[in-house]
Amino acid sequence: MKKNNTTIRVRYAETDQMGVVYHGNYAQYLEVGRTELLRSMGITYKNMELSGVMLPVISLSCNFKKSALYDDEITITTSIKKMPAVKIEFDYEITNQHNELIATAKTTLAFMNKKTKKPMRCPEYILEKLTE
């Protein structure tokens, strides 16, 4: 349905003494990919929250294939493959500058009403952007 590529450079602070990206930093890389995919569709977290919609992560899985290293240029390919309802799923592939697969991942986020903190259906304006 929708797909976006975001490229970032691995910073020193994201690595261990061996220059390898610490596994906990991948959640941040996924967030960058996810927010940039939404931004490419004209949707921002800021505007969602201003309109009363929150989108917390309720599931995250990551499969590591190869180490990302300090100063690597990594590309996060983020995609939405099916229409959301109360939940939205994002799939990811992270590759390095040599096009080697670093990791695959999946996150599930739930649409929540900011005031009531209860689940809600995906807003219509997001569904419309997904079908453009």
Side-chain angles (χ1 to χ4, degrees):
M1 286 180 60
K2 292 291 181 180
K3 189 180 214 177
N4 186 64
N5 292 328
T6 305
T7 301
I8 60 175
R9 189 167 298 278
V10 173
R11 296 172 295 188
Y12 185 76
E14 298 166 344
T15 64
D16 60 20
Q17 285 185 326
M18 297 178 292
V20 174
V21 171
Y22 172 67
H23 73 276
N25 287 314
Y26 283 84
Q28 292 179 27
Y29 296 158
L30 303 180
E31 181 178 10
V32 169
R34 184 168 63 247
T35 57
E36 292 305 316
L37 170 59
L38 292 172
R39 187 182 313 279
S40 75
M41 295 167 40
I43 301 166
T44 65
Y45 272 91
K46 182 177 183 176
N47 287 338
M48 273 194 295
E49 290 181 3
L50 288 173
S51 71
V53 179
M54 294 178 12
L55 201 54
V57 175
I58 60 171
S59 174
L60 182 154
S61 66
C62 189
N63 295 302
F64 303 99
K65 308 295 185 182
K66 183 177 177 70
S67 295
L69 306 172
Y70 169 64
D71 209 37
D72 275 357
E73 193 172 85
I74 59 172
T75 299
I76 307 146
T77 302
T78 309
S79 57
I80 300 171
K81 295 180 179 172
K82 64 181 184 180
M83 290 297 280
V86 175
K87 299 175 188 175
I88 185 168
E89 295 179 357
F90 295 88
D91 292 288
Y92 311 84
E93 282 190 352
I94 299 175
T95 55
N96 64 15
Q97 66 272 15
H98 306 295
N99 207 33
E100 297 169 316
L101 184 63
I102 300 296
T104 59
K106 183 179 204 110
T107 57
T108 303
L109 292 81
F111 291 97
M112 297 199 52
N113 182 296
K114 189 174 180 179
K115 286 184 183 177
T116 65
K117 307 287 192 275
K118 302 247 186 223
M120 60 181 282
R121 297 203 50 79
C122 176
E124 193 62 36
Y125 70 91
I126 293 175
L127 295 173
E128 289 171 8
K129 296 283 188 180
L130 286 169
T131 58
E132 288 181 353

